[in-house]
Amino acid sequence: HRLAMYGVIEPEDNYPNLTNDKSALAQCLTKEIYTKLYWNKTSSGYTIDEAMQIGVDCEDHDVGFFLGDYECIEVFESLLGPILDTIHPFFDYRDKNVQHMGSLKIIKFDGTQTLKDFVIEYAFHLRRNLRGYSLPPHCTRAERREINKILIYILKQLQFDPTFPNIQFVDTKFAKKTDKNGKRNSKSGATMPMSNGATPAAADRHHQIDEKKDVTTSEDTSSKTSPSSISSKLENRESKVVDLVGIDDATLTELEEIGLAPSREASLTPEFLIGGLSRDFPDARTLFFNEKAMVGAWTNHENHLEMIIQHSRPDLNYVYKKFVDIYIQFRRILKRKEMAWIRHRRLGIVTTSPKHFGTGLTIQCSIRAPFLAAHAKLTRILRKRSLELKTNADDILNLETIHTLGRSEWQIAKDLGNALIDLSRMEKALAKNKPIDQII
């Protein structure tokens, strides 16, 4: 029981005031649900009040709920289920027969090759958490430090080939016509070809990764970077690890500017402080970057691992293949270490915010669209295409995909490609002073 100086605190006396909240929590929480969950806690001690504190104190937070560990899914299901149904339209949590299915299909996104003058860049944002540890809002200092060491080791194993990425797209006609025995099968899909003899679909379902071409162990060691050496280190085109403890402003600023480090302001916002994500900052926080490959990662942020995969070439097919290559490398390394990401049998990848359940992947892109930027229905246009606007400045729109649960990795990228084709058509029509109602 929760005790106060005057006795036991009853749930009806502790119910939060969410009158001005805009979060999914405010839409889903009722006194009945709160009373039911009030006395519950996970085996690590995480309570419903801790989980929803971010929503109580941050009125503009979109979800209003942070997980503290894996058990939150079952312990707080009465509230988490309705939240998931509210924020993930492609997934019906109430239907127990429905489960999230990931897919790493390698099929070209038709039409995106024509967007080179419209799209400035793409960035794949991947979120992951290690199984067996509490999530950032609730982990101990010891857990955070151990997680940091493990992730640094894993990140150092990633290999960036000069011909990267070397994964080839599957011929879509062949993929649709043949099954694993070469027989015609109109339902078969094209996924990343494996060289270990497994069928592509089976390899993806059962994680049968080719271990013959294993990645080698890197002998790089962690290093602290000074402002005078950051430029030369970037020119070395090698993977580097930078400890945030004692890092100087010039180094961090340059990494932020090239998009390979999170903003310091974001790490110390009210949301991060209230949600428990900034505890002991910057202890056990590390930046990893490879300037040539345009890959950056950071540890113990909103999730154990956050990774950005970019490329200067505005080619969705190319960046997607790059993402798949790194994704498969992660899986091989974890398998060798007998470790895994936190994953739920129905909900896929588990993240601190339920917003990113499923794939843990969002794709950001920047487009040059002065006419759309000034359009009154811009928010509606983007929402209909599962996109949200991050920034709108100097005629450049920075967009990010929204839905991660009920959509596979390949579907997210395909949806983005289709949306960008629509947006490009709208921009061209507006430039000629033509209506876009039919495209909308």
Side-chain angles (χ1 to χ4, degrees), residues 223-240:
S223 61
K224 292 194 176 182
T225 314
S226 64
S228 60
S229 64
I230 181 67
S231 297
S232 62
K233 283 184 176 292
L234 291 177
E235 291 170 3
N236 286 339
R237 297 183 175 183
E238 297 176 351
S239 299
K240 299 296 177 184

Side-chain angles (χ1 to χ4, degrees), residues 115-184:
L115 301 172
K116 61 181 180 179
D117 296 326
F118 181 62
V119 177
I120 300 171
E121 66 176 0
Y122 296 98
F124 280 60
H125 187 167
L126 191 66
R127 302 160 182 84
R128 290 292 185 268
N129 294 286
L130 285 171
R131 188 171 65 189
Y133 297 91
S134 296
L135 295 169
H138 190 55
C139 67
T140 64
R141 296 184 189 94
E143 280 183 302
R144 192 183 302 117
R145 289 165 185 166
E146 187 171 343
I147 290 165
N148 193 47
K149 290 178 182 177
I150 293 170
L151 290 176
I152 289 172
Y153 170 83
I154 292 173
L155 290 166
K156 285 181 180 179
Q157 311 310 304
L158 296 178
Q159 303 295 304
F160 304 109
D161 193 279
T163 60
F164 178 78
N166 54 19
I167 298 171
Q168 299 301 313
F169 283 105
V170 173
D171 185 297
T172 55
K173 294 180 181 178
F174 179 81
K176 291 177 181 178
K177 291 180 179 179
T178 61
D179 62 12
K180 64 181 179 180
N181 297 315
K183 297 179 180 179
R184 296 179 66 86

Side-chain angles (χ1 to χ4, degrees), residues 39 41 70 77 85 103 111 129 161 199-200 204 207 255 402:
W39 306 109
K41 63 181 179 180
Y70 177 81
E77 182 182 16
D85 278 335
S103 173
N129 294 286
D161 193 279
T199 64
D204 191 49
H207 296 186
L255 289 172
I402 301 174

Side-chain angles (χ1 to χ4, degrees), residues 241-308:
V241 174
V242 182
D243 191 341
L244 280 189
V245 176
I247 191 173
D248 57 87
D249 285 344
T251 298
L252 193 50
T253 297
E254 187 162 354
L255 289 172
E256 288 173 349
E257 288 176 352
I258 61 177
L260 299 183
S263 166
R264 278 163 288 187
E265 287 76 12
S267 300
L268 297 172
T269 56
E271 289 84 357
F272 268 59
L273 292 168
I274 293 165
L277 303 174
S278 298
R279 291 174 299 125
D280 306 305
F281 186 86
D283 182 64
R285 273 81 171 187
T286 298
L287 297 179
F288 167 94
F289 62 93
N290 185 301
E291 189 267 347
K292 180 183 177 182
M294 294 188 72
V295 173
W298 42 93
T299 64
N300 294 314
H301 201 241
E302 183 173 315
N303 296 283
H304 294 163
L305 176 69
E306 308 259 345
M307 173 170 273
I308 293 289

